[in-house]
Amino acid sequence: MSLLITGARVLDPASGHDGIAEVGIRDGRIDHLGSGAPAGAYDETLDASGLWLMPGVLDLAARFREPGQSHKASFRSEIPAALAAGITGIVLPPDTSPAIDSPAIVNRIHRSASAAGPLNVHVLGALTKGLAGEALSEMGALKQAGCVGLGNALAPLANSLFARRALEYANGLGLTVHVFAQDAALSNGGCVHEGPVGTRLGLAPIPAAAEVAALRFWISLVEDTGASIHVGRLSTARGAGLVESAQRRGLPVTADVAIHQLFLTDEDVDGFNAQCHVIPPLRSAEDRDALRQAVKRGVIGTICSDHQPHEIDAKTNPFPQTEPGISGLESLLPLALRYAAEAGVPPLDIVARLSSGPAAVIDTDTGSVATGHTADILLVDPQARWRLQAAALLSAGRNTPFDGSEMHGRVVRTLVRGQTVFSA
C-alpha cells in the first residue's frame, strides 16, 4: 500500500522544514518529500490542505497499568486511545508489578503490547532490583533486551554512593538514567505543594526544596561521572533554573514536564479536588509560568502526558488517600497546541517538544518526516476547537481535571509504519 499526501503544511523539527509539501509513503517509509511531482504512482492520494503533517508524538512517561494493575487499564484499552491522540510511541516507566528489572519482564511487556496494537512501546529498565534501591539491576541484560534507559521511577535509592555507582555503570553501557527529582526525606509523604492552599486545607506539604535538593545532588554526580541524566516531570522554577545552568555548562542533562504543569497550579487543589492530586504536586503560579518559559526556550525539551489512568474509586477517598495521577493521553497534543498559541511558541518548536525532543532522549530515529524515515506521522487540524469530555475518553481512565476545558487542534489521521491506525 502506498500513499501520497498533498497540500499539507509539513513540520519537521529534525530538519527545520516548515512549508507546504507533498509526502509520499511506500513500504512503511517516506520515499518522497518535496514540492515537485514524485516519481511513480501511488495507490492512494490524500488532499490534506489546511492540515499539519508532523512526526508522531512520542510520550516519554505513560503508564498503561500492565502488568499488575489491569483493573485500571491495559494495553488493549490504552493503545487505541494513544493512537487516536496522535501518539505513535510511548515510554513505559519501570514501576509495573513486577518491576521491569529482568529481560523476562521486558519480553513479556513487548509481547503483550504487540498483541494489543501497533503502538511503538519503549521500556525503561529498573535501575535497582525490584526498585528497592539496594542492589543494582542487571543493566547490561536489560539493555540487550531492548530497554531505552534506566530509572527507579518514584522510588528512592539507598544512599548517595549507591547512586554514584549506578550512574557509573549506566554510563559505561551508554544508557541514560531517568531521574525523578524529589528528595524522599524532604517530601516526607506529602501530597500537595507547600504553600497557602495546602496549609489552609491542612494537607501534608511537599516543599519546592525537595525537587531542588534532589536536582543539585544528581547534577553534582553528573559532574563527577560524566553520565547522562534525563530529569522527568520538572515542577518548580528553581528546578528549571538548575537544569538550564547545567546545560549552559555543557553537562548531559535533559528534562521534561507533564503537560498539566503548564496549566494548573496549587490553587486548583482547593476544595480537595482529587483530580488535581498529582506527584510532583501542582506548584505556584510563578512555578507554572517559569516552566512555560523554560519549554519555550528549549531548556525543557520534552512535554509528556504522565498518563496515569485510574478507576473511579481511586479518586473518591479523602484527598491524602486518593491515588495521584491524571489520565493524560488524549489531552497531551491539544493542550500542547493551546499552550503554544497562548505562549507564542512557533509550530515547529512545539512539534519538536512532542516528537524530535523525546526521540533524542531515548536515541531513536523517529521524530522526523525526512525521506527514508519510518512513516510514523499524523495529520492535525490546527484550527479545530473542541471541549474535552471525560466520559468520552477512549482511555479506561476518566480521571482528568480538564473535563469541559477547551482544546486546540484535532488529530485527523495517524499512521504507524505507513499504515493508517486512526482516522477521524
Side-chain angles (χ1 to χ4, degrees):
M1 182 70 183
S2 59
L3 173 66
L4 180 66
I5 302 174
T6 65
R9 179 180 178 180
V10 178
L11 296 162
D12 181 24
S15 65
H17 180 93
D18 179 358
I20 305 298
E22 296 186 351
V23 175
I25 299 166
R26 202 184 304 273
D27 298 327
R29 292 187 175 274
I30 297 168
D31 75 337
H32 173 79
L33 172 63
S35 55
Y42 289 83
D43 297 327
E44 179 186 356
T45 298
L46 175 65
D47 181 2
S49 299
L51 305 180
W52 288 1
L53 189 155
M54 56 179 277
V57 175
L58 174 57
D59 188 351
L60 278 191
R63 289 171 171 84
F64 281 12
R65 305 305 194 189
E66 189 177 346
Q69 291 185 305
S70 55
H71 61 288
K72 293 180 180 291
S74 66
F75 288 119
R76 290 199 180 279
S77 69
E78 302 311 282
I79 286 179
L83 296 174
I87 297 169
T88 57
I90 64 154
V91 176
L92 287 178
D95 53 350
T96 52
S97 181
I100 306 173
D101 63 357
S102 72
I105 298 298
V106 176
N107 294 334
R108 174 182 168 185
I109 288 172
H110 280 148
R111 281 197 305 271
S112 297
S114 296
L119 186 71
N120 297 302
V121 174
H122 306 280
V123 174
L124 286 186
L127 196 62
T128 63
K129 292 180 180 177
L131 297 174
E134 297 175 346
L136 292 180
S137 62
E138 297 177 9
M139 298 182 186
L142 289 171
K143 180 180 180 180
Q144 279 215 319
C147 288
V148 296
L150 299 166
N152 225 48
L154 309 186
L157 300 179
N159 57 55
S160 53
L161 178 60
F162 190 84
R164 177 173 175 147
R165 294 284 181 264
L167 282 187
E168 289 171 340
Y169 279 110
N171 191 37
L173 293 167
L175 288 169
T176 295
V177 173
H178 292 236
V179 169
F180 176 64
Q182 184 169 287
D183 184 278
L186 285 172
S187 61
N188 195 30
C191 59
V192 294
H193 172 62
E194 185 179 63
V197 176
T199 300
R200 177 159 44 80
L201 296 177
L203 297 172
I206 300 175
E211 180 170 287
V212 174
L215 267 175
R216 284 179 174 150
F217 166 75
W218 282 107
I219 290 172
S220 69
L221 291 184
V222 170
E223 290 173 324
D224 282 357
T225 64
S228 298
I229 65 168
H230 175 76
V231 183
R233 275 61 74 202
L234 266 181
S235 68
T236 68
R238 289 158 65 193
L242 286 172
V243 169
E244 184 166 20
S245 174
Q247 291 174 346
R248 283 178 177 169
R249 287 181 284 140
L251 297 176
V253 177
T254 56
D256 69 58
V257 64
I259 185 66
H260 53 257
Q261 294 282 3
L262 302 183
F263 287 91
L264 305 175
T265 71
D266 59 339
E267 295 282 348
D268 292 292
V269 175
D270 208 356
F272 300 99
N273 183 1
Q275 299 297 348
C276 290
H277 182 190
V278 294
I279 298 294
L282 300 174
R283 301 292 188 178
S284 68
E286 291 76 16
D287 289 311
R288 178 201 58 194
D289 294 346
L291 292 172
R292 289 167 75 99
Q293 287 300 314
V295 171
K296 187 174 183 178
R297 295 198 304 276
V299 173
I300 297 175
T302 297
I303 305 172
C304 67
S305 72
D306 197 16
H307 177 64
Q308 299 187 48
H310 285 297
E311 74 281 21
I312 293 175
D313 288 349
K315 291 288 189 181
T316 56
N317 291 315
F319 189 94
Q321 281 80 53
T322 59
E323 296 185 54
I326 289 172
S327 180
L329 288 178
E330 291 159 86
S331 50
L332 173 58
L333 177 60
L335 280 179
L337 297 182
R338 178 177 151 189
Y339 153 73
E342 292 174 356
V345 178
L348 205 56
D349 287 353
I350 195 63
V351 171
R353 306 293 182 267
L354 296 166
S355 58
S356 58
V361 172
I362 65 168
D363 194 22
T364 177
D365 63 355
T366 60
S368 174
V369 291
T371 303
H373 277 250
T374 301
D376 290 351
I377 60 174
L378 58 143
L379 291 168
V380 177
D381 179 357
Q383 302 303 321
R385 299 289 184 272
W386 55 285
R387 292 198 178 275
L388 184 144
Q389 301 296 330
L393 291 177
L394 296 178
S395 167
R398 307 291 169 80
N399 49 298
T400 173
F402 296 105
D403 189 16
S405 296
E406 183 184 65
M407 299 286 149
H408 287 198
R410 186 182 286 280
V411 175
V412 174
R413 187 182 289 218
T414 305
L415 292 91
V416 174
R417 294 180 283 280
Q419 299 298 311
T420 297
V421 293
F422 170 78
S423 182

